[in-house]
Amino acid sequence: MGTAERREAPADTSAGERRPGYRPLWTEEPARRRRMPDPVRTAAVRAVLVVAVTLILAMVAFLCTLAESWLAFPMVLASVAGTVVATWGVLDVWVTRQVWNQRHGVVSVPSSTARAVRRERRRARRQTRAAERGQERIGRRGGAGQLSPPRAAG
């Protein structure tokens, strides 16, 4: 298809009609895994950037050492410091992920411990609410806390 043919072709085609020979550039597929939570993703991006800068510093230090440049020693020091910071960044990702899982529960596994704990909490809350409602009902009857009405002396 030449440029002139493309200019003459109708630009607006509805989604329902398909042109013969038309092949989309990509097809949408559902994601295989769930997206990472925002704090974890932020920490991961930060860690990747720090590791990339550290690798660049290490490469520059190596090349400066081979060239016997005066910049070799400061670069080695910078790459050692970068290694420490990169280790901190990777640990930050791990800790952030653990904290997120503890706070929000692991919902990906059906037999999750967090799910069982939430279920137990809900059950306990329901029981306490039911007990409170029962006590309110007894108090409203006007029996002054007695379960049976007062007997007349006879």
Side-chain angles (χ1 to χ4, degrees):
M1 182 183 246
T3 308
E5 292 172 321
R6 266 184 267 151
R7 284 187 186 147
E8 294 171 7
D12 57 325
T13 57
S14 64
E17 62 181 79
R18 297 283 175 164
R19 291 179 287 179
Y22 172 76
R23 202 177 59 178
L25 292 176
W26 65 85
T27 57
E28 294 288 333
E29 293 179 3
R32 291 185 182 148
R33 293 191 312 173
R34 290 174 50 107
R35 185 173 151 163
M36 277 194 292
D38 286 340
V40 178
R41 193 169 55 249
T42 304
V45 168
R46 189 182 320 123
V48 166
L49 290 175
V50 168
V51 167
V53 168
T54 302
L55 287 174
I56 291 171
L57 283 173
M59 182 58 78
V60 169
F62 176 71
L63 293 175
C64 285
T65 303
L66 288 180
E68 297 180 1
S69 171
W70 65 271
L71 202 57
F73 183 67
M75 282 291 130
V76 168
L77 291 179
S79 63
V80 168
T83 303
V84 171
V85 174
T87 305
W88 169 83
V90 172
L91 284 175
D92 181 44
V93 173
W94 183 68
V95 168
T96 306
R97 187 169 165 267
Q98 295 298 326
V99 168
W100 177 269
N101 286 340
Q102 281 183 354
R103 286 186 183 162
H104 298 92
V106 182
V107 293
S108 60
V109 183
S111 61
S112 167
T113 307
R115 185 175 289 169
V117 168
R118 281 197 308 256
R119 195 177 298 132
E120 288 298 321
R121 281 191 202 138
R122 266 185 258 134
R123 188 175 297 136
R125 262 188 260 136
R126 269 189 235 120
Q127 287 175 349
T128 55
R129 270 191 252 129
E132 287 172 2
R133 267 182 280 172
Q135 290 297 325
E136 289 174 8
R137 216 176 288 130
I138 291 172
R140 273 186 272 148
R141 287 186 181 163
Q146 297 175 356
L147 292 177
S148 56
R151 296 185 183 179

